[in-house]
Each structure stands twice: as C-alpha cells, then as structure tokens.
Amino acid sequence: MDTSSRVIGFPVSRIDGPLKVTGTAPYAAEHEAPDGLLHGFVTVATIASGRIAEIDLTEAETFPGVVKIYTHQNRPRTAWWDKAWKDEVALPGHPLRPLENDRILFDGQPVALVIGTSFEAARDAASLIRMTYHEDEPHTDLRFEQDQSYVPKEKRSGISPPPKPRGDADRAFSQSPYQISADYFQEGEHHNPMELFASTVIYGEDGSLTIHDKTQGSQNVQSYIASVFELKPDKVRVLNKFVGGAFGSGLRPKHQVFLSVMAALDLKRSVKLELSRREMFYLTWRPATVQTVSMAADDEGHLTAIMHHAVQATSLYEDYQEVVVNWSGLAYRCDNVKLTYELTELNVSTPGDMRAPGAATGVFALESVIDELSYEVGIDPLDMRIRNFVHIDQNMDKQLTSKALHACYREGAERFGWASRSPAPRSMRDGRDLVGWGMATGVWEASLMQSTAKVKLERNGHVTVSAAASDIGTGTYTILAQVGADSFGIGAEQVTVAIGDSSLPKSPVEGGSWTAASSGSAVQVAATTVRQTLLKHARDLPNSPLKDASVEQTAIRDGRLVLAVNDQAGVAIADIMDAAGVDFIEELGEVGPDQAQMKTFISYTHSAAFVEVKVDEELGVIRVTRVVSAIAAGRILNPKTARSQILGGVVMGIGMALHEEGMFDHRTGRIMNHNLAEYHVPAHADIHDIEVIFVEEHDDKASPLGVKGLGEIGIVGVAAAVANAIYHATGTRFRHLPITIDKLYYAQEAAE
Amino acid sequence: MKPFEYLRPSDVSEAVAALAANPEAQVLAGGTNLVDLMKYDVTHPGAVIDINRLPLKEIEQLEDGTFRIGALVSNSIAAYHAGIAGELPLLSSAILAGASPQLRNAATCGGNLLQRTRCYYFYDASTPCNKREPGSGCGAVGGVNRIHAILGASQHCIATHPSDMCVALAALDTVVDVAGPTGDRQIPFLDFHRLPGDHPERDNTLQQGEIVTAIRVSGGHFKRHHSYLKLRDRLSYAFALVSVAAALDIGEDGTILDIRVALGGVAHKPWRDPLAETECAGQPANRDTFQALATRLLAGARGQGDNDFKIEMARRAIVRALEQAAAGTPQIQSHKAIF
Ligand SMILES: Cc1cc2nc3c(=O)[nH]c(=O)nc-3n(C[C@H](O)[C@H](O)[C@H](O)COP(=O)(O)OP(=O)(O)OC[C@H]3O[C@@H](n4cnc5c(N)ncnc54)[C@H](O)[C@@H]3O)c2cc1C
Ligand code: SF4
C-alpha cells in the first residue's frame, strides 16, 4: 500500500502541545461536576509498623465544612476476595486495601479520609485527627535485612525469573586469569512526575461514575473500580485524556481513586481527591537494591563467567519483582552464567515500575563490572564490549529480531570522539578538573501487546483514530495521528485522535515502551481495513478505474482514492461513499504478539551511552558535561518526540547516578526528605550537552510497524556510564548510588 | 493549615503594634518560607501580618558608602542593584547562589534573614523537634543528618541556618535595623542569629513585637578580592552543605590587610571567628595562611554521623574560596565550574 504522505519518520510537533503550553489541557484534578464537588484529604500513618490504637475525631468531625471522615472503623463494604482487588498488572500477594484494618505496614499508609466542602476544610480537619499507635520495630534497611531474603514463590506476570544456570560459572570464574567481584547498592528512588495522583469522580444521577484519573491505563482503573465496588462495568467510565507524566507510577490504580470512589458512592456526591507531593514519596518507588556481580575474562577479554545476584526490597503484602539480573545473561556472549534474584520484605509500600524497571538497576551493576574488568584485562572499555558482542539471546536461546548495537557503538563513539580518549584513569585534565570518559551499553525489551484501535474515515476525508491508549507525555496523540494520517495521505493535524477513555477500543496500560508499537500497529491495521472497504465500494462503481486494483496498488491523494502509479485514475472519497450510501467507514484493527514467531525470536532495543564528567577532586564536585546516547530502536516514527524521550531518559539516568535517593530514618522506618527541595532530581545546571543519535535499524518482526518503542531505553546504562566516567576521571569506583558529594570525601578518606 | 487572622498594616508602627499585641502573630513578607511552613503544619500563626505595604522597599547608599537595604527589597533586586553589585559583589554573588530565580524574585531580604532551618525533622510535624515543639526532643540527633551542623550545635538541636545571603552579610560589616514596641534599635549582624543552646526554638535575638526594617552593609574594600563558594548536592537549587563567603583586602606587598571568612551550612548561624581573622593580618595571602585559618575555624567541629564529611569539605572550601578571592577570580554563580 502506498503511503506517500510525509508524516511517518518526520519531526511532527506534538498535536497536543498547544493545549499543554497554554494550560488548557485539563488534568485529573482539573475537572468540575454538575452537582458541585466535595473534596478529600488523606491522613497518613506516621509510623512504619504497628497498629492504630485509638482514633480521636472529636475536633476534626466538628470542624466547619467537614462532611464525613472515613477510617477503618467505618469504611463501607467492598469486595471480599483478593482476586477482585487485582488490577491488570497486579502482583503476587494481597493488594493494599486502603482503610481495611488497624494494621500499619509502612510509613505514609493512608489511615483516614476526610471529605469536606472545600479542599481547605478537608485539609484543616485532617490535621485535627488524633491518631495514636502501638508501634512495632520497623524494618526498612535493606542492607541490614538482606539476609532475610527469599526467592519469590509466585512469579509476577510478564516478568521472567532468572534463567537456569548455564555452564559452570563458579568453576570458570575461579579458573580465569581476570576476575572482578563487587557489591552494588542503590537507594530507593521515588516517583515524582509533575502531576500528582488525583481523581475527580463525577457521580451521575443514575449512580454511574465518570472518573478523571491520573493513570496510565483508563481501562485498568475502570475494571478495578467495577470489581472492587461490585459495580456493573458499564456504570464506570474512566478518562485520562492528559497525564502529567507517570514513568510507570500510574500503571496500577492508586489509593486516591479507590478512596474518592468509595466516598462518592457512599455520599452519592461527586468527589475530588488529589494527593499531596509528600504522599508521592509513600507510593510506587524504584526499590532499593543490593547486587553482587562476579565476572571473569580470558587473556583476550572474552567473558568466561558471569554471576549476578540481586536482592530487592518489597513490601510485607506484595512480592514486587522486576527483571534485574537476566540482562547479564543476554547482553554479552558468555557460556557460564549464573543469575539469581531474591526479595526482602520491609516496612515499605510496594515498589513499582519506574522507567526501565529492573534494567536501569541491573545494567548499572553489569556495565560497571564489565568496565572494571576491561581495565583489568587492559583493553579499551568499548573494545571490551565489542569483543563480547552476541547476536542471540543466550538466556532464552532465541534469535533477535534485530540488533544494531554495533552501529550505536560506532556512531556514538565517533560523535563523542572516543578515539582520542587516553586510557589510564586520572590521565585527562581540564585546568584543575579531572576529566573522565565512560560508556555503557543499554538494553531493554521491545514488546508488542494485544491492542485494538478504531479508524474512521468520513465522507469529507476527515480521519478519526481511537483507542483507550494513554498519552503520559510520551507523544501517543501525535504518533497515532501520524500513523493514521499516513494511511490516508493527509497531514497529522488533519487527524482527530481520541484516546484516554475506557470506553474506547481495548488497549493495554501504557508501559513497557510498547504503546507506539502496539497501538500504532493497531491503528495501521484498522486504517488498512478502512482502505480495503473503501476500495471495495470503489470497485463497485460503474466503470471504476480501480476495478482491478488491490489495496497495495492504491493511494489516497487530495481526497481521492487513486492508482498509486497513475493518480489521474481514481475516484473522490465522497463519491465512493455516496454511491455506497454511507457517511463514513469505520473499522477495528487488532494486533498482538505472534506466538509462532515468539518461539524463535525475541526483540530488544539497544543503546550505547557515552559520558564525559569533570571532577573537581579537592571539592568533590562532579559535572556531567557531555552525553552522547546512540539508540537502536527499530523504526523511528517521529524523531522529535523520540529525541525528547531519550533526553528525558538520560536526564533521569544522571539523576539516578548522582542525585535521587529516598532518605530513611531506619530507627523509625520513615522517609525524611519527602519534598522536592530535599529529594533531588537534576536541575538545569546539572544538565549540559546531550546528543541523541538514532541509528538505522530495520526490523520487520518486532511489530507490524517496525517500531520497537523508546520510552525506557534512554535511561538504561546511563548511571553506569556516569560512574565509569567518574572512575576514569578519579581512579575510584563508586558502587553505591547516588554518587553524592559526601561519597567522594569518604572515598578519599578511605584511600588515605 | 489552621484558620488565622490576616492583617495588612500600612506603616511600621501599625505593624509593630499588631505584632506586639498578639504573641501568636507572625510577619508575612515574600511568603516563600512562611506559607510552606503553614501548609506543612509546622507553624500555626494566630495572625498573619502582611507587611508588604510597608515602605521598606528602598535601597539607598548612605554618605559613608554603606548600603541600606529595606527589609522588603526582593533578593533579586538587591543582587542586581548596580551599586551593590559594584561595591559589594560578595553579597550579590551569595544571593544569586541561593534558591531559584522565581524564589529570589519573591523572597525579601528581611525574610531571608528570618527563614527557618531546612532540617527534615523540623519540616515533618509528626517527628520530635525541639525547635518546632520545645521539649519534644531532637529527631536529627542519631537520625538523618547529612545537612546538619558541625559547629556550635547543642544536644537539643543540630540544625543549620540555611541562608546564603546571610553568610555574605556575616563576612561584611552588617547591622540589622529593627523596629519594636519600645522603639528602634540596631543589632550587629553577628549578634542577630544565635546558637541553639537550650533554646533552639529561638533562631535569633529579635524580641517579641520587633520587625526587621532594613539591613546596613558595608565592605567596599573587599570588592577586588572576594568569593562566595557553595557546595551542595546538585549544581543549583539546593541548600548549601557548606558555603564560604571569603573576603580579602591585600596590601601591595601581598600581605593581608583584612580578611573575612564566614561559613554557611555548618551551624545554627553563619559561622565566623573574628579573632582568628585578626591574627592573619600581616601574613601573606597564600595557601599556608588559608589552611591555618581553616584549621582554626574548624577547631571545634564535630560531625553527627551522616555529616562527618562536612568537616573536611569545609576545610577545603575555605581554602579554595580564599584562593579564588586572593586571585581576584571569584566563583561565578551562573557557571557551575569551579576555578
Ligand atoms: C525550594 C526552596 C529553595 C531555596 N533555596 C535557598 C537557597 O539555596 N539559599 C537560600 O539562602 N535560601 C533559599 N531558599 C529560601 C529563601 O531564600 C527564603 O524562603 C526567603 O528568603 C524568605 O523570604 P520571604 O520574604 O519569602 O520570607 P517569608 O516566607 O515571608 O518569611 C520568612 C520568615 O521571616 C519572617 N519575616 C519576614 N520578613 C520579616 C521582617 N521584615 N521582620 C521580621 N520577620 C520577618 C516571617 O515571619 C517568617 O518567619 C529556598 C526556598 C525554597 C522554598
Ligand atoms: S536539629 Fe533542631 S530543628 Fe532539627 S529536629 Fe533537632 S531540634 Fe529540630
């Protein structure tokens, strides 16, 4: 099928951009209700472990403007079985049921909900609730508790447990001339997208609910709410037209949607509930992780053994899991591999997916170790990686659908100027500063999920694309418009995109970087079907010039369906529809993973990150002055939105390397830096030149569109590349993230 | 946040009277600190006295060269004021090292002096804190304390004063103009903030009912040799772990005529040791002298665990800032590279 319009692969600006920059794109907390809104405010636990002893609501309940206060003592009835509480991406264990009972399992757990006639009334009353607790000793220090670790009994759906060992890693390790074995620790990172978790629940006269929710999956929230409150699914509609960033935090329904719906149903009123910035620190987080990696090589630098063990924090009620160690078995060729993964229960809220969950963590350790080993063997760190290139997935024993990683290495190194790097640590300087150049490989899975989309072509040529998919700031609106436009020979701005609505065609939650590939492909399939129907009608016309044409031989130009090779031969869309007696043609498209292909093939995106740091060693000040990130991610639908994704990933990776950490007072099990003044993410001054390269990568298997997805690969490897650059600059290996300024002092002290 | 009375007096005496009349009352200037603290339930003023209508927005240069900066002058206006930037570049530089442009536009010079500590426990009303709630204990001792004090702390409080501007003011010659129920008075800057001792709830020596009306600063003889060096957890928009305001007056022979070093981020008040400074007079302005001074300044320094690194950090920062000052190459705040 000829799709000659210049939309796919072009840097189309976001079609939702003007709404966003003018502040007219409404977010979850920015909706009103016809009956007026009640407002909620959540009171959270101030202990990390124990029981609620007493709740004194005397002052709070009589506060002007208070409508009702909910605690575990008066919470309305909800579904009984755990199964009803399991959302689409739920974990093994017992999902949190807010206000279920008096048990406190983590700091910041919701313990009361105040509903008031105004936000201020609810908040002020909340501060008058007197909770007393029976406190138990909290356990929050992973490094201290890791000897309590266990292999999760039930595997998390969609997350591969470590593969069986291959070869004999212990023996190969002990017999190799070059060996590195090191421990890595990473503090927890806490999701803080700009938009806070919020829900506006509009209570309909017939008892139906329209919920504007901050989520990455409207249909996931819709089925969760219907199931938990035992409602007819058609009585619940969830909308997430605009999402102010999520990065994985919004994959699962959060307690604000449960609580606001609970109150709305109980009070038969519309309710709005927005969590505070502080509460963001008690929700979904990238878990603290301890890793041990042992790696050995022969005299030529070929890897002979890899052993990677990780222990991650999880909550007392769910076994959160991510793929941390498997990367070590598939990133490089190695025949002796042993990978193990365990969890430790702590008094924390259940961790959750945060941009490239697992890979960001595991690849940090892997790419630090291989870097260290390259120095041991005495070869260039980039060379070391190239030497161990692998073109299959040895974990799964599968072929790869594509892997243009060599191009990432080559083009990235070229742009960065890697060739002029002086190999020895501490050998490059700029005035007083030590200069370090480091690099790392990144890898992330590329998946295609079961997805549907509708495409509608109207008589006047207007195209509407719809799916329940979400745009969490990633550019979904724009790329779906592009794919839709491409099939009809029009511009992206001529396509209406309807997404972010549970009533639209079924889509998975937006996560795992699969939306472009999955929803994009579904749109393409639907559009092709529309074109087929259109052609069928055209063929039925008397003397149709398209009589013998197949859909592949046709094109749409200027509102006419024409022969691709001769656009004089064709018929206007309007005429075709008139003759067929229809005003529009609408078709559903569906895509899903190709099970047969998956038996032999698997898909990954790859990257190479090159980083320059300058370190004022005396003062401990590190600056990341230059980053080149070269990405192989199949077909790039829109280099502008794609580049933004990678830039964001790199910035987050720098934050992971240098800044982000939740600081716990382990005596009380409480997080102390729960605001954005003290929980640091990179500021503008921390970010200098970032260059993004997309290398050519043709892939006809990863997805029908040839797209692999880009949301996550940008962060993977960045923290390691920064740490490796710091090593090259200073000669000190930092294995504990984030590498804050104090660690440089302590390292020097230890060296002395 | 609790309901409160809101007053907006139009002159100083009215403001002072309102403040003196109600021990629960607090002054609102730019609001960048007070409003946060109210929202976080850290402080609950019974009355908020909005002083933004008071005529305290002028910067004037007095005959002796001293700058008199009204308490309501914004941090940005003060920093970019041509006279201040020219004569007291150390002060400009310290202001610009703080917060963000938006905050500096809203924050006032009076408010900057009176901003509260950034101690995590002070900010979290559900933890013990002697400063927030006298007698409740100190959460930070033995807790998360990497941003806490290494000098002048007491067992009751190890908080630091977070201001950058005040560190420069402490290094220069500064006096705080105050109006109160018993009349006006002037407080030498080094006496304005206090150490926590047994009363960490008191940050400074203002008396009940007093407001700051202006600050008077001089120190033009340091305009060639000065530097404000701030070390923090990211390159901008973070409070100082350690900061140094260094000022030198160097004679033709290269010896020190006058030297000032004030430290931020290390104590409950900007830290200075005037006696140690005096003893540097006549010595060469070189690394040895600076190191010796650093050692003296930090003689009583004691870490709390997480913040042990600050002692060495402060030592090196003092030396570097003085070297920058001596070389006439002050730290540039818009460029984060350190020379
Ligand atoms: C995220 C963030 C980052 C920041 N980073 C920095 C930084 O890096 N460095 C830095 O130095 N500062 C920093 N600040 C603090 C900022 O400088 C202060 O908040 C600001 O200077 C306070 O001034 P204001 O006018 O807003 O004071 P307000 O908030 O109005 O008042 C603060 C206090 O001073 C009292 N007060 C105000 N004016 C007077 C007066 N004339 N007389 C008596 N009492 C008065 C108030 O009652 C209140 O107790 C930061 C602030 C934030 C929020
Ligand atoms: S250090 Fe001071 S401010 Fe911090 S908790 Fe202790 S008493 Fe409160």
Side-chain angles (χ1 to χ4, degrees):
Chain A
M1 186 164 69
D2 179 63
T3 55
S4 57
S5 61
R6 292 163 61 84
V7 283
I8 290 202
F10 287 82
V12 177
S13 290
R14 286 186 181 206
I15 60 172
D16 52 335
L19 287 178
K20 288 198 165 168
V21 298
T22 54
T24 46
Y27 291 89
E30 297 176 326
H31 295 272
E32 293 306 322
D35 60 333
L37 283 164
L38 295 175
H39 297 262
F41 195 86
V42 178
T43 300
V44 297
T46 55
I47 63 164
S49 176
R51 284 180 187 278
I52 299 172
E54 222 174 296
I55 306 176
D56 178 358
L57 301 179
T58 334
E59 270 182 280
E61 263 174 345
T62 53
F63 193 81
V66 169
V67 175
K68 186 160 180 180
I69 300 178
Y70 298 90
T71 67
H72 72 275
Q73 294 168 342
N74 67 344
R75 196 194 76 166
R77 204 192 67 85
T78 49
W80 177 254
W81 300 105
D82 263 352
K83 192 164 170 297
W85 291 77
K86 293 221 172 185
D87 66 280
E88 185 182 323
V89 283
L91 304 167
H94 309 285
L96 182 75
R97 303 180 181 197
L99 313 186
E100 185 186 24
N101 55 33
D102 61 351
R103 283 195 65 198
I104 303 300
L105 302 175
F106 60 92
D107 177 30
Q109 182 180 325
V111 291
L113 169 71
V114 183
I115 299 292
T117 50
S118 70
F119 168 75
E120 287 74 15
R123 182 180 59 183
D124 294 353
S127 71
L128 299 172
I129 297 177
R130 307 278 167 248
M131 288 266 174
T132 41
Y133 298 96
H134 293 305
E135 204 173 339
D136 296 332
E137 192 190 327
H139 301 277
T140 51
D141 191 345
L142 178 65
R143 278 178 296 178
F144 194 73
E145 309 282 345
Q146 57 166 311
D147 51 347
Q148 307 288 320
S149 67
Y150 58 91
V151 176
K153 275 201 245 4
E154 187 188 332
K155 114 177 178 51
R156 175 185 173 193
S157 156
I159 298 298
S160 318
K164 290 211 171 58
R166 60 175 181 261
D168 184 343
D170 288 290
R171 214 179 71 186
F173 183 82
S174 65
Q175 292 174 351
S176 298
Y178 298 102
Q179 309 167 339
I180 296 286
S181 189
D183 295 332
Y184 294 82
F185 179 64
Q186 169 181 325
E187 307 282 353
E189 290 184 77
H190 297 258
H191 269 296
N192 272 289
M194 282 309 290
E195 187 194 12
L196 303 167
F197 281 103
S199 308
T200 305
V201 181
I202 300 169
Y203 188 84
E205 276 170 16
D206 58 348
S208 67
L209 302 176
T210 307
I211 306 169
H212 298 276
D213 190 39
K214 193 254 167 75
T215 173
Q216 291 174 241
S218 55
Q219 289 171 330
N220 188 24
V221 172
Q222 189 250 5
S223 59
Y224 167 84
I225 290 297
S227 150
V228 164
F229 292 100
E230 298 169 332
L231 302 170
K232 289 216 182 69
D234 62 357
K235 290 272 186 227
V236 184
R237 181 176 173 199
V238 177
L239 298 153
N240 64 336
K241 293 274 170 202
F242 297 100
V243 180
F247 306 102
S249 64
L251 288 170
R252 303 183 65 194
K254 290 287 169 303
H255 62 255
Q256 94 285 347
V257 70
F258 168 83
L259 292 173
S260 52
V261 168
M262 177 191 82
L265 291 172
D266 184 45
L267 300 167
K268 302 195 172 12
R269 287 284 307 274
S270 298
V271 173
K272 180 184 290 188
L273 175 58
E274 185 177 27
L275 301 187
S276 63
R277 178 58 67 188
R278 174 173 174 176
E279 287 171 270
M280 299 300 281
F281 289 86
Y282 307 131
L283 296 166
T284 320
W285 56 301
R286 192 195 294 287
T289 309
V290 183
Q291 306 183 63
T292 305
V293 191
S294 306
M295 189 185 264
D298 65 18
D299 294 320
E300 270 91 56
H302 293 121
L303 298 181
T304 51
I306 303 175
M307 289 175 274
H308 190 164
H309 176 65
V311 180
Q312 288 199 293
T314 193
S315 67
L316 293 170
Y317 51 98
E318 285 173 315
D319 273 356
Y320 173 75
Q321 294 156 57
E322 49 189 38
V323 175
V324 177
V325 295
N326 301 13
W327 312 104
S328 291
L330 63 84
Y332 300 105
R333 171 165 294 289
C334 186
D335 296 330
N336 301 293
V337 174
K338 190 167 80 180
L339 309 173
T340 44
Y341 176 75
E342 298 184 350
L343 300 176
T344 295
E345 287 183 350
L346 298 177
N347 286 109
V348 292
S349 66
T350 305
D353 295 310
M354 185 172 192
R355 211 175 204 165
T361 301
V363 171
F364 161 65
L366 168 68
E367 286 299 304
S368 298
V369 175
I370 192 170
D371 201 75
E372 191 161 353
L373 194 57
S374 75
Y375 286 89
E376 287 290 308
V377 180
I379 57 179
D380 179 272
L382 174 57
D383 244 21
M384 179 83 181
R385 285 151 171 109
I386 292 172
R387 247 172 240 206
N388 289 288
F389 191 88
V390 63
H391 61 276
I392 56 164
D393 176 347
Q394 287 185 291
N395 285 350
M396 312 284 268
D397 197 18
K398 284 184 186 176
Q399 304 291 313
L400 305 178
T401 58
S402 60
K403 182 173 180 180
L405 179 59
H406 273 314
C408 296
Y409 288 149
R410 199 171 47 242
E411 292 178 37
E414 163 85 34
R415 200 72 62 86
F416 188 81
W418 186 261
S420 60
R421 177 177 181 271
S422 118
R426 305 183 66 84
S427 61
M428 291 169 71
R429 280 183 179 272
D430 174 14
R432 211 190 260 269
D433 284 342
L434 291 165
V435 177
W437 287 4
M439 60 86 53
T441 308
V443 53
W444 179 249
E445 56 208 8
S447 1
L448 182 72
M449 301 292 279
Q450 202 69 35
S451 303
T452 60
K454 265 188 191 160
V455 170
K456 178 176 176 184
L457 173 68
E458 285 168 77
R459 197 181 166 282
N460 60 8
H462 189 87
V463 172
T464 304
V465 166
S466 57
S470 314
D471 188 330
I472 59 172
T474 42
T476 310
Y477 274 106
T478 312
I479 53 144
L480 295 189
Q482 286 177 270
V483 175
D486 182 64
S487 300
F488 297 98
I490 53 178
E493 66 292 343
Q494 288 164 272
V495 175
T496 301
V497 180
I499 56 173
D501 181 340
S502 62
S503 66
L504 294 172
K506 181 90 182 126
S507 306
V509 291
E510 164 133 1
S513 302
W514 57 58
T515 295
S518 309
S519 295
S521 296
V523 167
Q524 195 191 38
V525 169
T528 306
T529 315
V530 168
R531 293 261 315 255
Q532 272 159 349
T533 309
L534 184 69
L535 179 62
K536 191 167 81 50
H537 291 317
R539 285 215 211 94
D540 292 345
L541 291 172
N543 303 324
S544 172
L546 303 170
K547 215 157 217 89
D548 303 318
S550 67
V551 76
E552 292 76 23
Q553 291 166 330
T554 63
I556 294 188
R557 305 227 172 104
D558 300 329
R560 296 170 71 240
L561 182 65
V562 297
L563 279 177
V565 289
N566 171 17
D567 61 12
Q568 298 304 304
V571 192
I573 292 172
D575 293 342
I576 300 173
M577 290 205 193
D578 285 350
V582 297
D583 289 332
F584 63 86
I585 299 171
E586 185 172 50
E587 303 286 356
L588 186 74
E590 179 160 8
V591 295
D594 177 342
Q595 302 296 344
Q597 178 185 290
M598 281 169 65
K599 292 205 174 82
T600 30
F601 284 96
I602 190 159
S603 257
Y604 297 99
T605 48
H606 296 91
S607 69
F610 296 84
V611 167
E612 175 183 88
V613 297
K614 295 193 174 165
V615 182
D616 185 314
E617 195 177 30
E618 188 183 17
L619 299 179
V621 176
I622 299 172
R623 291 178 302 132
V624 177
T625 44
R626 220 149 53 83
V627 179
V628 173
S629 174
I631 304 285
R635 185 179 186 195
I636 303 303
L637 293 175
N638 182 333
K640 194 171 189 172
T641 53
R643 176 171 176 272
S644 296
Q645 284 301 307
I646 303 305
L647 289 178
V650 169
V651 170
M652 233 162 153
I654 292 173
M656 178 177 176
L658 302 179
H659 307 116
E660 291 198 44
E661 86 181 283
M663 296 180 189
F664 275 83
D665 183 334
H666 293 300
R667 299 171 307 175
T668 56
R670 307 194 57 203
I671 181 167
M672 293 317 301
N673 59 336
H674 45 62
N675 60 66
L676 288 179
E678 299 301 339
Y679 180 93
H680 295 132
V681 297
H684 274 99
D686 296 291
I687 303 303
H688 296 82
D689 286 348
I690 301 175
E691 206 175 323
V692 179
I693 300 169
F694 293 107
V695 305
E696 217 28 70
E697 186 178 68
H698 180 73
D699 194 318
D700 56 8
K701 295 191 180 64
S703 69
L705 268 180
V707 164
K708 281 182 170 176
L710 281 163
E712 285 153 295
I713 184 65
I715 188 177
V716 184
V718 174
V722 172
N724 294 341
I726 294 173
Y727 171 75
H728 183 236
T730 63
T732 306
R733 281 277 164 203
F734 290 93
R735 302 191 176 90
H736 178 173
L737 297 184
I739 307 168
T740 42
I741 193 165
D742 49 322
K743 298 200 175 82
L744 274 81
Y745 286 88
Y746 293 130
Q748 288 173 30
E749 210 176 277
E752 272 159 21
Chain B
M1 186 138 72
K2 302 278 157 44
F4 52 86
E5 200 186 339
Y6 175 78
L7 302 166
R8 196 157 55 177
S10 49
D11 64 41
V12 172
S13 54
E14 208 185 307
V16 166
L19 194 58
N22 184 351
E24 305 267 276
Q26 288 186 43
V27 167
L28 174 80
T32 61
N33 192 210
L34 181 67
V35 175
D36 276 1
L37 293 171
M38 290 168 69
K39 285 189 185 169
Y40 293 150
D41 243 336
V42 174
T43 187
H44 313 107
V48 168
I49 301 175
D50 181 344
I51 60 169
N52 284 289
R53 291 204 175 160
L54 305 193
L56 305 173
K57 295 193 174 135
E58 299 299 316
I59 299 179
E60 46 177 332
Q61 191 168 13
L62 309 179
E63 262 170 33
D64 64 350
T66 301
F67 285 90
R68 188 171 190 280
I69 305 170
L72 290 173
V73 172
S74 79
N75 285 185
S76 305
I77 300 247
Y80 292 115
H81 182 270
I84 293 176
E87 291 299 307
L88 305 172
L90 178 62
L91 179 58
S92 284
S93 183
I95 295 173
L96 295 177
S100 65
Q102 295 92 325
L103 279 160
R104 294 193 297 264
N105 286 342
T108 65
C109 290
N112 196 310
L113 261 55
L114 286 137
Q115 62 175 301
R116 313 294 313 267
T117 183
R118 306 306 289 204
C119 169
Y120 316 111
Y121 297 83
F122 176 73
Y123 262 76
D124 185 333
S126 61
T127 63
C129 168
N130 288 325
K131 187 181 277 301
R132 180 168 28 77
E133 214 181 306
S136 63
C138 171
V141 171
V144 183
N145 54 32
R146 68 193 294 282
I147 60 174
H148 287 73
I150 51 171
L151 286 161
S154 76
Q155 68 194 63
H156 305 294
C157 180
I158 57 171
T160 62
H161 192 262
S163 167
D164 290 298
M165 181 176 103
C166 290
V167 185
L169 292 176
L172 298 166
D173 296 310
T174 307
V175 167
V176 183
D177 283 359
V178 167
T182 55
D184 297 349
R185 64 179 182 122
Q186 296 197 326
I187 309 176
F189 196 75
L190 297 186
D191 298 335
F192 185 80
H193 295 104
R194 54 185 296 285
L195 292 179
D198 294 339
H199 287 285
E201 72 281 7
R202 296 214 296 265
D203 291 349
N204 53 57
T205 54
L206 277 188
Q207 301 295 318
Q208 146 81 35
E210 284 184 328
I211 66 165
V212 172
T213 53
I215 38 186
R216 296 168 192 251
V217 203
S218 59
H221 57 306
F222 296 124
K223 73 180 169 203
R224 283 194 48 216
H225 297 289
H226 64 89
S227 187
Y228 187 73
L229 180 61
K230 178 176 180 182
L231 300 178
R232 50 192 140 177
D233 272 322
R234 60 182 165 196
L235 296 176
S236 170
Y237 200 29
F239 290 93
L241 290 165
V242 166
S243 71
V244 182
L248 280 165
D249 190 6
I250 303 175
E252 306 226 314
D253 60 352
T255 60
I256 295 169
L257 299 176
D258 195 356
I259 183 170
R260 305 284 173 84
V261 178
L263 306 181
V266 298
H268 202 254
K269 60 186 288 190
W271 192 262
R272 251 188 80 186
D273 185 345
L275 186 65
E277 291 167 4
T278 320
E279 288 171 15
C280 287
Q283 294 185 31
N286 63 19
R287 197 172 170 93
D288 286 347
T289 308
F290 302 155
Q291 273 172 337
L293 179 58
T295 305
R296 276 206 58 182
L297 265 163
L298 296 166
R302 198 173 81 83
Q304 296 289 339
D306 291 353
N307 70 351
D308 294 348
F309 69 96
K310 277 188 173 190
I311 302 173
E312 183 59 21
M313 179 185 259
R315 198 179 63 73
R316 297 184 193 179
I318 293 167
V319 174
R320 181 70 69 83
L322 283 166
E323 284 180 339
Q324 290 177 328
T329 53
Q331 179 60 37
I332 300 164
Q333 301 306 346
S334 57
H335 192 304
K336 308 300 170 186
I338 298 169
F339 299 102

